Amino acid sequence: MSTLYSRIQRDLALSIAAGEYAPGSRIPSETSLAKRFGVTRMTVRHAVDGLISEGLVTRRHGSGTYVSQRRQAQRALNRLSGFTEDMRGQGRTASASELSRSEVEAPGPVQDQLELQPGAHVVVLERLREVDGRPVALQRVWLPFSRVPELARRSLDGASLYDTLEQEYGIRVTTARQRITAVGATDREAAILAVAEGAPLIFAERLTRDSNNRPVELAETWSVPELALWVDLRR
Amino acid sequence: MSTLYSRIQRDLALSIAAGEYAPGSRIPSETSLAKRFGVTRMTVRHAVDGLISEGLVTRRHGSGTYVSQRRQAQRALNRLSGFTEDMRGQGRTASASELSRSEVEAPGPVQDQLELQPGAHVVVLERLREVDGRPVALQRVWLPFSRVPELARRSLDGASLYDTLEQEYGIRVTTARQRITAVGATDREAAILAVAEGAPLIFAERLTRDSNNRPVELAETWSVPELALWVDLRR
DNA sequence: GAGTGGTCTAGACCACACG
DNA sequence: GTGTGGTCTAGACCACTCT
């Protein structure tokens, strides 16, 4: 983790967040950054590549590398990342509180998507996500009980789910397929997220897989519209 | 365009498409590919980086680089493509009818996003998208008038906007940033899309750029929830 | 012309997976 | 241990932008 390029990437990201490099302005050239950090230009390029995939800067051939315009709190879709990680990258404070935690027999659709045997059990977590103190998303996560039995009992307490999966179970999530649509808030969702009943919400359903391509997690997320998603596309 | 890495990337992509490297199997190591193509490993890595962002392969540290499963679907989903093209890829019949077409002074936010001078004019197109005969999306597109003056007068008549831009104006769209959220239908949107007023809609705002990174098109799309979006993610 | 990013070389050592 | 990808060096030349 503590590679040179990732530290340079973080340093630059912090400078941008601190306003040292303003939106629309040019960051120092790759050559000068290489000199400043005492590395080669290739290493600086690797770091800047990371900033680009974060959406923080864009390159212009022959001209320079420019800080992107300020965005609202948004979730990047290009990378599979945890919620907390995402918000931190945008200079925001994210927290999570656990609403419920249980172990149940997998409902049909969940069983299908997680590729479980009939009757298999799942751990169900419900978490409320907050950004800068305001509730922004309600999340329901289904995990195969056989792979993470302890999670049925122990609270995550705001810890990153992906970190926990990796550190305690050796499960590394690598890919996901996400479906995104719009729904009207039910009375329960409205109450939890402090919006009107029927108000539009972003609904995302994500099936995450590990490095062996086995399903790890089915996550359903209801987000307020302010927490827009964004994605960069190439032709 | 004919850089070494892009040719190697294309060669490998063709080999995968031809089934020479089957899904789930390992492609040759970077060292051996470097030898085969007569380049350094860094150049091969650049090519493989491209295959990864296309979703064609995944790397596993210490193990190898493997051809992804479900590759056709991934390609279609993570690529910048037109609406008609998108629907065709899902086996559906898409059509478009033009609701309005005009030339106006760019409103402030549009001017900002398209990076226009104050007072610059834009062409505004409104189209209704239909799939299998049902209205599914209302689209409003803003284009800099100075770049596509004739579009203010001539109907597209269902022709692909991207094809028209490329063939008649030599503008090749290459990248886009898309923001996705949920909104409630206004009375006009409700009437056009045949949903209730206030019903949840998917709202996507897309800024498309050409190969010089200059803004080409700002597109706003209101879609019915049935027209969900799919995205594949990698960590 | 000067400065910027885009590509590429020819090596090196490290971290990880697997038999 | 061997082979794989991950990182990094110290240069070089080219393509593009801006003035």
Side-chain angles (χ1 to χ4, degrees):
Chain A
M1 166 48 82
S2 195
T3 58
L4 282 174
Y5 81 85
S6 67
R7 290 177 52 195
I8 292 168
Q9 179 178 339
R10 197 194 55 221
D11 274 17
L12 292 172
L14 287 175
S15 294
I16 290 169
E20 186 176 336
Y21 304 130
S25 70
R26 203 174 67 181
I27 69 172
S29 72
E30 296 175 350
T31 309
S32 69
L33 287 173
K35 193 169 292 178
R36 177 194 301 181
F37 289 108
V39 300
T40 56
R41 216 186 113 207
M42 289 294 278
T43 302
V44 168
R45 278 187 72 78
H46 199 162
V48 175
D49 285 344
L51 295 177
I52 289 172
S53 81
E54 284 186 68
L56 285 175
V57 300
T58 58
R59 282 204 189 96
R60 292 189 212 162
H61 191 178
S63 173
T65 301
Y66 296 82
V67 179
S68 305
Q69 298 299 326
R70 181 74 179 149
R71 306 185 306 268
Q72 285 185 295
Q74 300 178 346
R75 299 215 61 195
L77 279 176
N78 293 67
R79 250 178 75 231
L80 170 59
S81 55
F83 185 90
T84 312
E85 191 183 347
D86 249 17
M87 293 300 112
R88 198 162 39 219
Q90 297 176 30
R92 289 167 183 277
T93 319
S95 60
S97 57
E98 197 168 287
L99 299 180
S100 74
R101 183 171 71 253
S102 58
E103 177 201 344
V104 299
E105 192 172 312
V110 174
Q111 175 193 310
D112 286 351
Q113 295 217 63
L114 288 176
E115 298 173 10
L116 299 172
Q117 301 300 323
H121 280 215
V122 286
V123 177
V124 194
L125 305 173
E126 275 196 331
R127 307 172 94 184
L128 178 63
R129 300 289 196 170
E130 297 183 337
V131 169
D132 299 340
R134 292 179 42 202
V136 294
L138 172 64
Q139 194 169 44
R140 187 181 296 147
V141 182
W142 310 79
L143 301 145
F145 177 75
S146 59
R147 299 188 71 176
V148 292
E150 294 85 358
L151 279 187
R153 292 198 167 59
R154 207 194 49 196
S155 170
L156 281 171
D157 265 340
S160 160
L161 176 58
Y162 290 173
D163 286 352
T164 305
L165 288 176
E166 183 155 2
Q167 288 161 18
E168 308 207 1
Y169 299 97
I171 299 173
R172 210 180 54 188
V173 303
T174 56
T175 62
R177 169 160 293 185
Q178 186 155 307
R179 176 178 165 270
I180 299 148
T181 187
V183 299
T186 64
D187 53 354
R188 176 164 183 264
E189 290 153 9
I192 293 175
L193 294 172
V195 298
E197 200 176 324
L201 297 176
I202 308 168
F203 176 68
E205 188 179 53
R206 179 172 68 188
L207 183 65
T208 311
R209 295 171 184 271
D210 64 15
S211 49
N212 297 318
N213 211 34
R214 275 199 306 254
V216 173
E217 169 210 43
L218 178 65
E220 302 168 297
T221 306
W222 291 262
S223 309
V224 298
E226 288 73 25
L227 194 69
L229 303 158
W230 64 270
V231 60
D232 283 321
L233 305 167
R234 273 180 294 277
R235 199 171 200 187
Chain B
M1 169 43 84
S2 195
T3 58
L4 282 174
Y5 82 84
S6 67
R7 291 177 52 195
I8 292 168
Q9 180 179 339
R10 198 193 54 222
D11 274 17
L12 292 173
L14 288 175
S15 294
I16 289 169
E20 188 176 334
Y21 304 130
S25 71
R26 204 174 65 180
I27 70 173
S29 74
E30 296 175 352
T31 309
S32 69
L33 288 172
K35 193 168 293 178
R36 177 194 302 180
F37 288 107
V39 298
T40 57
R41 215 186 114 206
M42 289 293 276
T43 302
V44 167
R45 277 186 73 79
H46 200 161
V48 173
D49 285 343
L51 295 176
I52 288 172
S53 80
E54 283 186 69
L56 284 176
V57 301
T58 58
R59 284 204 188 97
R60 292 190 213 162
H61 192 181
S63 173
T65 300
Y66 296 80
V67 179
S68 305
Q69 313 285 342
R70 318 187 309 263
R71 59 185 194 281
Q72 301 122 323
Q74 278 194 351
R75 265 167 133 174
L77 293 170
N78 289 353
R79 250 178 72 220
L80 169 59
S81 53
F83 185 90
T84 312
E85 197 181 342
D86 252 13
M87 291 301 108
R88 200 161 39 218
Q90 297 175 30
R92 290 167 182 277
T93 319
S95 61
S97 57
E98 197 168 287
L99 299 180
S100 74
R101 183 172 71 256
S102 58
E103 176 202 345
V104 298
E105 192 172 313
V110 173
Q111 176 192 311
D112 286 350
Q113 295 218 62
L114 289 177
E115 297 173 11
L116 299 172
Q117 300 300 321
H121 280 216
V122 287
V123 178
V124 194
L125 305 173
E126 277 195 331
R127 307 172 94 183
L128 178 63
R129 300 290 196 171
E130 297 183 338
V131 168
D132 300 340
R134 291 179 44 204
V136 295
L138 172 63
Q139 194 169 44
R140 186 181 298 146
V141 182
W142 311 77
L143 301 145
F145 176 75
S146 59
R147 299 188 72 175
V148 293
E150 294 84 358
L151 278 187
R153 293 197 167 60
R154 208 194 49 198
S155 170
L156 281 170
D157 265 341
S160 161
L161 175 60
Y162 290 172
D163 286 350
T164 305
L165 288 176
E166 183 153 4
Q167 288 161 19
E168 309 206 0
Y169 299 97
I171 298 172
R172 211 180 54 191
V173 303
T174 57
T175 63
R177 170 160 294 183
Q178 185 156 309
R179 177 176 163 272
I180 300 151
T181 187
V183 297
T186 64
D187 53 355
R188 176 163 182 263
E189 291 153 7
I192 293 173
L193 294 171
V195 298
E197 200 175 325
L201 296 177
I202 308 168
F203 176 68
E205 188 179 51
R206 181 171 65 186
L207 183 66
T208 312
R209 295 171 183 272
D210 64 15
S211 48
N212 295 319
N213 208 36
R214 276 198 295 262
V216 173
E217 169 212 43
L218 177 65
E220 303 169 297
T221 307
W222 292 262
S223 309
V224 298
E226 289 72 26
L227 197 67
L229 303 160
W230 287 87
V231 185
D232 283 323
L233 306 167
R234 279 172 292 281
R235 199 172 200 187

